[in-house]
Amino acid sequence: MNHPLRCRCGTLKGHVSHPEKVSRGVCYCKDCQAFAHFLGAPGDILDEMGGTDVVATLPKHVTFTQGMEALICMSLTETGMLRWYTSCCNTPICNTPRDFKFSHVGLIHTCLKDPTRTLETAFGPVRMRVNTKNAKGTPESMSLSTVASIVRFLSSVIRARLDGSYRHTPFFAPDRGTPIVSPKVLTNSERERVTNAV
Ligand SMILES: [Zn+2]
Ligand SMILES: [Zn+2]
């Protein structure tokens, strides 16, 4: 069963296959918070402790069916993660590493809204809480399930590397591994503005 994926305005649409294979996590890092400020609607993206609810899966499980031209990406630094969002309505879509051989995508909850079921029903409970030292408060400790999820996650990344399926990704050119659009890298002053907002 596929789970729908869309930006707020509905220009970009697609789906995530194998929702049973994902790991849900919350990331409290300063960079994820800065990205939310960059998009201008931190209240829609971050929870009360500054966490971003993310569904981690393999890029080969993500398919876009329309509106790809609205999918763009930015990075806080020259070497930072690619943070994908839409040009039509600034909906955060996901984060990916810069190296497509590291087969991972963290889909952000804002593109996974489904009126018929909650994230919990679709993808199961949150199993990882990471970068909790940057949280605004003390999130519930989940160290055991976080470690188990990270091990499971890394083994799926390694499998995708070995069997070559990392090339099946909507975010990178399959032959060269370059992102489908060149990332907008923030200037020092732009970066200062969004990190100071955190
Ligand atoms: Zn949109
Ligand atoms: Zn983060």
Side-chain angles (χ1 to χ4, degrees), residues 1-76:
M1 188 158 134
N2 293 337
H3 183 87
L5 189 160
R6 75 194 288 278
C7 66
R8 290 188 193 98
C9 79
T11 299
L12 181 74
K13 278 188 183 151
H15 57 260
V16 193
S17 61
H18 298 290
E20 76 287 354
K21 290 191 180 166
V22 309
S23 298
R24 261 184 81 205
V26 179
C27 184
Y28 299 90
C29 83
K30 287 204 157 77
D31 287 358
C32 286
Q33 296 186 54
F35 179 48
H37 284 277
F38 166 78
L39 293 175
D44 284 354
I45 304 166
L46 304 174
D47 67 20
E48 63 289 349
M49 290 198 220
T52 305
D53 201 322
V54 166
V55 166
T57 188
L58 295 167
K60 68 175 178 184
H61 296 321
V62 177
T63 306
F64 294 105
T65 50
Q66 68 163 65
M68 275 298 273
E69 68 285 353
L71 186 65
I72 54 177
C73 72
M74 63 82 78
S75 193
L76 292 163

Side-chain angles (χ1 to χ4, degrees), residues 6-12 67 70 85-91 93:
R6 75 194 288 278
C7 66
R8 290 188 193 98
C9 79
T11 299
L12 181 74
Y85 62 105
T86 55
S87 56
C88 45
C89 59
N90 267 8
T91 303
I93 304 298

Side-chain angles (χ1 to χ4, degrees), residues 123-134:
F123 299 106
V126 169
R127 297 191 195 278
M128 301 184 262
R129 293 190 190 276
V130 294
N131 302 308
T132 49
K133 62 180 188 308
N134 295 134

